[in-house]
Amino acid sequence: METQFSGILTGILAFPFVAAIIILFIDKEQKEVIRTIAAFATGASLILAALVFFTYDTEAARTANAGLIDSGSGLLTFQFVDKVTWIKELGVSYQLGVDGLAAPMVLLTGLASFAGVMISWGIEDRVREFMAFFLLLVAGVYGVFLSTDIFLLLFFYELAIFPMYFLIAGWGWVELREYASMKLTLYILIGSVIALVGILVLYFEAGSFFTENPDLLPATSESAYSFDFNHIQYAAQQGAFDDPQYLGLGKEVTVATFWFPFIFLGFAVLAGIFPFHNWSPDGHVAAPTAVSMIHAGVLMKLGALTAIRLGVQLLPDGARVHLPWIIFLALVNVVYGAFIAFRQRDFKYVIGFSSVSHMGLVSLGVATMNTTGMTGAGLQMFSHGVMTALFFACVGMVYDRAHTRDIPSLGGFIKKMPLVAIAFIIGGLVSMGMPGLSGFVAEFPIFVGVWRGIPELIWNNENHPEWATSLTSGGANYYGLIGIAAALGIILTAAYVLRVVGQVFFGEFDEEKFPDIPPIRIQDRVAIYMLTAWLIVLGVYPKLMSDMIESAVQPVVGLLTGSK
Amino acid sequence: MPELMQFNTDDTRGFLAILPEILMTILVLIVIYMDLFLPPSRRKSVGYMAGVGMLVIGGLAWLIVPADGLKVSEQLVLGGMVRSDDLAKIFKVMVALVGGLTCLMGMGDIRLRYKGEFYALIIIATMGASLLSSAADLVMVFISLETLSISLYVLSGFVRRPETPNPTEEAFASRSAESGMKYFLFGAFTSAFLLYGLSLLYGFSGGHTNIYRIGQALAAGEQDTAPIILALMMVVVGFGFKISVVPFHFWTPDVYEGAPTPVTSFISVVSKAASFAVLTRFLLAVFPPEQLISVPLDQYKEFSEIWVQLFSILAVITMTLGNIVALSQRNIKRLIAYSSIAQAGYTLMGVAAIATTKSGDGAAAVAYYMFMYVFTNTLFFACIILFTNATGSETIADMAGLSRRNPWLAMGITIALLSLAGIPPTAGFVGKFLLFRAAVDSGLTWLAVFGVLNAIIGLYYYLVVIKVIYVDRSPDDEKPIDLPAPYGFVMATSTVAVVLLGTFLIGPIVNWASEAGLDLFRL
């Protein structure tokens, strides 16, 4: 295999990793040194991530993926590739690269992790261990977004989960942390290991397919068995997963249609898809502030992106069969999540359930299977990530000072913490989908996408008339109704956001109950400014990101509608 | 009758094949001599001699290149007694290194520290394990297995009553004696089964003792099937006891709890690893799958399907029972005993997969899993000894606050437990991945699903221990625990090994394990 190495992505990955190891060897009393190293490492990664985001060549990506976009055949081109053979026997290589979906996510990780370190400046208990685990978590998250080898991706995926456990169990909210951390870990790992079995099946099916048809082997692959993302995707295009009668389950059942739900939902657990969302609000609430930010802001996107990568992109045939019913799960997410959020008394639970609701919009966008909806989903991942990180930062700051999160007993905090209040209100407007802010540019395309429904190429494909019939029983396109129902979720969102803003930040401030409100640290300010700026910039100038995401979504839609 | 398989008569090859064992025998003599003649003030060097000596032998065993013939007959040396191949090599290196680490670990245990016999017995047991992993003859299998077992019976009951009355020490001594006796009775019983099974195989094959000859003779199909399956079952009982397969696991928790901790560590790794080595070799040689049968007849008998099913079922039962019972344990040594049963269950998935994977993936997965498992468990037990020395307790609840008392110790236990749970970047992730891969490859996807679900149950109780260490507080939080030199070395070595095996060394070791797996699939 040819070795390629540009080193930028490896750098993004290496800073937090190396810093985590260095921190372990520093005396535990040197807290300020430890924090500075953590800030430096996440900051350096953020700069590199921004470099990747701003120099990503969208036009080149479109040209390179023209085959995939037009006819759904070809290899996906990644940029900034680092590629070295790792385990030859298994066909595993250390392979990093970004496409238009991953690049914004990498930037998001950089923002949330740097802001997270800033927000955690006040932690005094075992700072060394906290920062080491936090950096390990960040490295794991980066790893998942950057991996283009499936083994490597799974490696980082599991690597990202267990620091979560430590951070929540060790530094979380005392009353809930043991329960919540264990629940979170078990939910996510059950999903991912079942998906892992599915991935292994794909690996062997692809391997035996290429062993029988060595002339079809893509030029980039050395052996028939490989965990390279493109290798397995190419096998899917060539029909390696299409044999009917898989496991003797009937002629409709193929490898693709059998394993798609397991792989897609297995990863979507981490994106909080209904009915597997239950770990998420508890996890958000129990986690310390910085971890909530990474958790809701980035980790849930890990699930969403992996579900798109390994679910939809590897198994488009399965996606066509299953996404039309999975869209109902997404709808439940949106509406039910918003409704539950409305009913919460605990400030942090409101945000926790709002994440469930907003991540439902991501799943909704993916399930539309058209470019508009999926672009919206990609934008929503970024927008929600920044927004929710900001939310949790604000909630954390209020809680640190008020020592309660009970909404009715709070009030008037805008007088004491104007910056936090304004940031929270901006976040709230984003969450409601206010035009001019990033939430609108993300949610609007999703609803348009849902309204447009399943693309013509799937509905009326001359080569595949069975696609239309397999989608619905009555032949009716119910996506419009779904769009209307999901829009109700937005109304509920407005209701709960306004309620929280009104009761927490406005109203009378009780001087007796909260006698001492210390000022906000400079580090907190940095985090707030940084996150808020992105919400506004993206709202005003969405082209910054939408083109890039669209260029990555088109190949996926190409795979879904392609007429092999 | 098919033509008889010939053996390699090159004496240098034969000598090299058992050179590690020869060196271990010499080391035993040196250790005993030092123990007898050194003044008590310099007894400490006995432990260093044994430990470092074994590590050096492990290194040498790695340097010796096995007879690289493409044919089994060229690798069978010393009259067919042993087979010198990559599988034997990987297991020899593994047991010698871990034997050395165990000796160093024993230096920190107050009850074992100054007893030369302890080191001598560990080395003898390791020698038995080392021979077992290359044994290719019924006689050799049995002799090396007994060399290993009898040393372990003695070691389990090693703690003696103190000369001055001391209730704590007396309790330790009686627990140890009980565990030694239990281990011996169970062991002798199952050895009898094994021996009977081996003698039946000798008879059915028409008087062969070399396992490869037996395999070809049985495949020729001149015997009834039923008695051969009976012999297979008896052999499974014998090996199943050593690797604590359910339902032959009852001794495990009691022996693990009662034996001195370094011995527990040794039993849980060396004896298990060598038994897995001989099990894979034995099954493929004596009951070969289709592609390993060289009989040029149209009619041959094939027993591999039977034992593939048998081991699939045993794997599911073993891992499920081990994991579920482990959930309710309060004593850390009993917890790890049940966990080791579960781990044996995972490894059995690899054993079930060896017959059907053409590329030797199954055997490679077993070899890799054992390679990482021995270091992981050694690390874990090294930490546990330190913890019990400091607190005098083996209860999980007493581990509270450990991360504040000694962060390195806490991290050692955490890395070991994460590796057992199969979380990257530790070696356990790759180990489990290879086992699941082998299972899926051989069409046992359902077995892999059972495996991953069990891995989640396992994760739960490992995380509970980690939670106690990192989250719970205890009144002793402020009392630091010291890290004495030999432990520091054992812990550092095995931690580095566990992490490297999960990251940078995956490539070379998987390569090696695959070579080992391929070797088993040569005719």
Side-chain angles (χ1 to χ4, degrees):
Chain A
M1 184 195 289
E2 57 177 322
T3 302
Q4 267 177 292
F5 211 82
S6 70
I8 297 177
L9 300 186
T10 303
I12 293 181
L13 203 55
F15 273 112
F17 249 128
V18 174
I21 294 167
I22 292 175
I23 281 177
L24 283 179
F25 287 94
I26 294 177
D27 184 63
K28 63 180 172 195
E29 294 309 319
Q30 304 265 358
K31 293 181 180 171
E32 207 58 25
V33 179
I34 292 170
R35 291 173 189 136
T36 316
I37 293 178
F40 173 77
T42 45
S45 287
L46 171 60
I47 292 170
L48 287 180
L51 183 75
V52 168
F53 177 77
F54 285 110
T55 56
Y56 183 86
D57 192 339
T58 307
E59 277 316 305
R62 278 223 173 85
T63 325
N65 292 326
L68 272 173
I69 295 170
D70 296 337
S71 60
S73 68
L75 300 176
L76 194 61
T77 311
F78 295 94
Q79 295 187 14
F80 302 97
V81 175
D82 288 348
K83 195 171 175 184
V84 181
T85 305
W86 187 16
I87 315 169
K88 208 158 181 260
E89 278 68 29
L90 308 186
V92 172
S93 50
Y94 169 83
Q95 202 170 319
L96 306 180
V98 288
D99 64 355
L101 267 171
M105 289 300 108
V106 174
L107 177 67
L108 172 66
T109 313
L111 291 170
S113 60
F114 183 68
V117 171
M118 288 289 135
I119 294 285
S120 315
W121 217 267
I123 287 183
E124 292 291 336
D125 177 35
R126 286 177 294 173
V127 179
R128 178 172 66 177
E129 281 85 356
F130 179 87
M131 284 300 177
F133 283 133
F134 186 77
L135 289 171
L136 203 57
L137 168 66
V138 171
V141 171
Y142 272 129
V144 177
F145 288 139
L146 296 175
S147 303
T148 59
D149 182 282
I150 297 175
F151 178 88
L152 195 65
L153 190 149
L154 292 169
F155 180 92
F156 284 120
Y157 192 90
E158 314 247 323
L159 179 64
I161 306 305
F162 88 89
M164 270 322 269
Y165 175 81
F166 284 107
L167 290 165
I168 297 179
W171 288 268
W173 181 39
V174 179
E175 283 175 39
L176 196 63
R177 61 188 186 188
E178 286 177 21
Y179 167 75
S181 57
M182 187 61 88
K183 188 167 163 184
L184 174 147
T185 315
L186 295 184
Y187 257 84
I188 296 174
L189 283 180
I190 288 178
S192 76
V193 292
I194 290 177
L196 182 139
V197 176
I199 297 290
L200 284 173
V201 171
L202 300 188
Y203 166 81
F204 283 111
E205 292 285 336
S208 58
F209 175 80
F210 283 129
T211 313
E212 282 163 25
N213 310 296
D215 47 318
L216 292 179
L217 196 67
T220 47
S221 305
E222 271 193 345
S223 74
Y225 290 89
S226 169
F227 278 103
D228 183 3
F229 171 77
N230 266 323
H231 178 91
I232 295 182
Q233 194 199 243
Y234 198 69
Q237 289 169 19
Q238 304 298 325
F241 310 140
D242 286 350
D243 290 339
Q245 297 279 6
Y246 181 61
L247 300 176
L249 289 175
K251 71 175 170 32
E252 295 292 318
V253 182
T254 64
V255 175
T257 53
F258 182 84
W259 281 105
F260 178 82
F262 292 101
I263 295 177
F264 185 86
L265 293 178
F267 290 116
V269 169
L270 185 49
I273 197 157
F274 179 85
F276 310 112
H277 66 287
N278 218 313
W279 58 274
S280 131
D282 289 334
H284 293 322
V285 171
T289 304
V291 179
S292 299
M293 289 166 67
I294 290 281
H295 181 188
V298 185
L299 215 66
M300 292 179 89
K301 281 77 197 170
L302 216 71
L305 191 82
T306 314
I308 298 175
R309 269 277 149 77
L310 304 190
V312 182
Q313 270 176 286
L314 284 189
L315 298 172
D317 293 324
R320 267 191 305 269
V321 173
H322 293 286
L323 281 182
W325 64 265
I326 286 177
I327 197 168
F328 284 102
L329 299 183
L331 176 68
V332 176
N333 258 64
V334 175
V335 180
Y336 172 81
F339 193 73
I340 303 284
F342 187 70
R343 297 286 302 152
Q344 297 303 311
R345 267 174 75 98
D346 185 316
F347 199 4
K348 219 170 173 183
Y349 263 113
V350 176
I351 311 301
F353 278 103
S354 99
S355 279
V356 173
S357 171
H358 282 99
M359 285 308 290
L361 286 173
V362 174
S363 313
L364 201 66
V366 173
T368 60
M369 298 191 273
N370 58 41
T371 314
T372 324
M374 291 184 105
T375 308
L379 284 165
Q380 172 74 354
M381 285 205 271
F382 184 86
S383 162
H384 172 253
V386 176
M387 172 193 88
T388 208
L390 183 65
F391 270 156
F392 278 114
C394 295
V395 174
M397 282 177 231
V398 171
Y399 177 67
D400 284 346
R401 286 159 183 83
H403 305 290
T404 177
R405 294 192 308 259
D406 186 40
I407 296 172
S409 51
L410 295 163
F413 272 81
I414 196 164
K415 290 170 192 143
K416 296 287 169 182
M417 306 163 78
L419 179 71
V420 174
I422 290 169
F424 191 90
I425 291 167
I426 292 179
L429 295 176
V430 170
S431 154
M432 287 182 250
M434 179 76 123
L437 293 169
S438 67
F440 177 75
V441 301
E443 285 173 18
F444 188 69
I446 294 179
F447 288 115
V448 174
V450 176
W451 190 258
R452 280 193 185 159
I454 302 167
E456 278 294 299
L457 271 171
I458 298 183
W459 272 108
N460 301 317
N461 195 310
E462 286 172 6
N463 300 328
H464 298 273
E466 78 278 6
W467 286 356
T469 48
S470 71
L471 284 176
T472 52
S473 45
N477 188 342
Y478 48 81
Y479 273 41
L481 296 175
I482 300 252
I484 295 170
L488 287 177
I490 301 302
I491 299 171
L492 284 168
T493 307
Y496 69 73
V497 168
L498 292 176
R499 170 173 156 260
V500 168
V501 168
Q503 294 195 357
V504 174
F505 291 106
F506 294 100
E508 281 302 305
F509 185 77
D510 191 343
E511 291 284 351
E512 277 173 26
K513 213 192 286 177
F514 311 112
D516 179 35
I517 299 288
I520 292 174
R521 279 184 306 266
I522 178 78
Q523 288 89 354
D524 295 342
R525 281 173 196 277
V526 172
I528 288 183
Y529 287 137
M530 195 175 73
L531 296 174
T532 319
W534 274 97
L535 295 178
I536 298 169
V537 167
L538 195 62
V540 177
Y541 186 59
K543 213 171 150 50
L544 186 64
M545 198 171 281
S546 60
D547 267 3
M548 189 187 287
I549 290 174
E550 199 188 37
S551 78
V553 162
Q554 280 167 337
V556 184
V557 178
L559 281 170
L560 285 166
T561 55
S563 49
K564 307 190 261 274
Chain B
M1 262 320 265
E3 200 181 326
L4 267 190
M5 185 180 282
Q6 296 305 308
F7 304 132
N8 190 339
T9 49
D10 185 350
D11 284 339
T12 329
R13 269 288 149 214
F15 172 74
L16 280 178
I18 57 164
L19 183 62
E21 288 84 356
I22 295 174
L23 290 175
M24 284 181 210
T25 317
I26 297 172
L27 188 63
V28 172
L29 298 176
I30 297 175
V31 165
I32 293 178
Y33 180 85
M34 283 171 78
D35 185 49
L36 283 176
F37 294 105
L38 279 183
S41 59
R42 293 178 56 202
R43 281 285 172 78
K44 213 177 170 184
S45 48
V46 180
Y48 276 117
M49 181 69 208
V52 175
M54 288 296 278
L55 292 180
V56 171
I57 294 174
L60 279 177
W62 179 67
L63 288 178
I64 299 170
V65 180
D68 42 349
L70 282 174
K71 284 186 173 169
V72 176
S73 55
E74 288 169 34
Q75 288 182 332
L76 285 168
V77 289
L78 297 175
M81 279 290 158
V82 298
R83 181 172 170 191
S84 152
D85 59 0
D86 268 311
L87 187 84
K89 180 175 159 179
I90 195 169
F91 277 94
K92 276 181 192 198
V93 172
M94 187 188 309
V95 294
L97 290 181
V98 175
L101 292 179
T102 312
C103 290
L104 293 177
M105 220 196 278
M107 292 176 63
D109 191 305
I110 34 170
R111 297 177 199 91
L112 307 172
R113 197 183 292 171
Y114 299 124
K115 300 224 167 81
E117 315 83 285
F118 166 74
Y119 303 109
L121 279 169
I122 289 278
I123 301 173
I124 293 173
T126 315
M127 187 189 77
S130 182
L131 271 182
L132 189 58
S133 53
S134 60
D137 190 287
L138 296 184
V139 180
M140 198 59 177
V141 167
F142 193 71
I143 289 178
S144 48
L145 190 72
E146 288 303 296
T147 312
L148 172 64
S149 304
I150 293 172
S151 318
L152 289 181
Y153 304 148
V154 181
L155 282 168
S156 308
F158 201 77
V159 181
R160 268 171 268 166
R161 265 171 199 286
E163 280 154 23
T164 51
N166 176 340
T168 344
E169 286 302 305
E170 274 168 23
F172 261 110
S174 62
R175 255 187 8 187
S176 170
E178 185 196 327
S179 87
M181 185 52 92
K182 215 171 228 171
Y183 196 21
F184 169 68
L185 287 178
F186 266 105
F189 188 63
T190 49
S191 286
F193 268 95
L194 175 68
L195 195 57
Y196 191 36
L198 296 184
S199 67
L200 285 180
L201 288 175
Y202 172 73
F204 293 148
S205 65
H208 291 303
T209 57
N210 184 281
I211 55 174
Y212 291 92
R213 285 185 177 172
I214 295 175
Q216 301 305 332
L218 291 182
E222 288 161 10
Q223 298 296 327
D224 286 343
T225 312
I228 295 179
I229 293 174
L230 182 71
L232 168 66
M233 295 294 180
M234 290 188 164
V235 173
V236 169
V237 173
F239 292 136
F241 163 77
K242 297 298 293 179
I243 51 186
S244 34
V245 171
V246 176
F248 316 111
H249 68 288
F250 291 102
W251 59 277
T252 317
D254 294 335
V255 173
Y256 275 37
E257 191 187 0
T261 313
V263 177
T264 310
S265 162
F266 190 80
I267 295 175
S268 77
V269 295
V270 170
S271 141
K272 189 170 270 184
S275 307
F276 267 111
V278 73
L279 182 64
T280 41
R281 185 188 299 285
F282 196 90
L283 288 174
L284 283 179
V286 179
F287 309 103
E290 204 179 340
Q291 65 263 39
L292 277 179
I293 299 173
S294 61
V295 186
L297 296 173
D298 297 337
Q299 295 283 320
Y300 57 80
K301 273 196 180 149
E302 211 239 303
F303 302 94
S304 68
E305 270 179 30
I306 296 166
W307 60 258
V308 166
Q309 282 172 9
L310 177 69
F311 277 98
S312 309
I313 294 166
L314 284 179
V316 171
I317 298 175
T318 304
M319 61 183 145
T320 312
L321 187 118
N323 273 327
I324 288 180
V325 181
L327 288 174
S328 62
Q329 299 304 315
R330 287 165 204 281
N331 178 299
I332 188 72
K333 278 166 87 179
R334 285 187 88 83
L335 176 102
I336 217 66
Y338 282 105
S339 133
S340 87
I341 294 173
Q343 301 286 338
Y346 299 136
T347 322
L348 283 178
M349 293 197 310
V351 175
I354 51 177
T356 31
T357 54
K358 290 116 215 142
S359 44
D361 277 351
V366 171
Y368 189 92
Y369 202 79
M370 279 296 124
F371 203 90
M372 78 89 200
Y373 179 72
V374 294
F375 285 106
T376 306
N377 254 21
T378 306
L379 170 62
F380 183 77
F381 279 108
C383 298
I384 290 305
I385 295 174
L386 211 51
F387 157 70
T388 24
N389 279 354
T391 59
S393 157
E394 288 174 357
T395 331
I396 295 173
D398 287 335
M399 297 174 102
L402 209 56
S403 75
R404 292 167 203 272
R405 300 180 68 176
N406 188 329
W408 296 108
L409 182 62
M411 197 192 305
I413 298 183
T414 306
I415 289 183
L417 289 176
L418 289 178
S419 180
L420 289 176
I423 303 284
T426 56
F429 173 74
V430 188
K432 286 228 168 64
F433 190 85
L434 290 175
L435 285 176
F436 299 145
R437 177 177 173 270
V440 173
D441 189 17
S442 50
L444 298 167
T445 310
W446 65 273
L447 191 57
V449 171
F450 269 104
V452 295
L453 292 180
N454 261 289
I456 298 292
I457 305 179
L459 182 70
Y460 175 79
Y461 59 79
Y462 296 128
L463 282 183
V464 167
V465 178
I466 295 175
K467 185 218 75 179
V468 173
I469 294 173
Y470 276 89
V471 180
D472 292 0
R473 308 292 296 253
S474 86
D476 298 331
D477 270 5
E478 302 306 321
K479 287 185 210 153
I481 299 178
D482 286 335
L483 207 63
Y487 277 122
F489 178 74
V490 174
M491 274 176 61
T493 327
S494 33
T495 308
V496 169
V498 170
V499 174
L500 282 185
L501 281 174
T503 49
F504 296 104
L505 281 185
I506 303 176
I509 303 290
V510 168
N511 186 359
W512 191 10
S514 307
E515 292 283 321
L518 278 179
D519 262 353
L520 287 183
F521 274 81
R522 285 182 181 141
L523 273 173

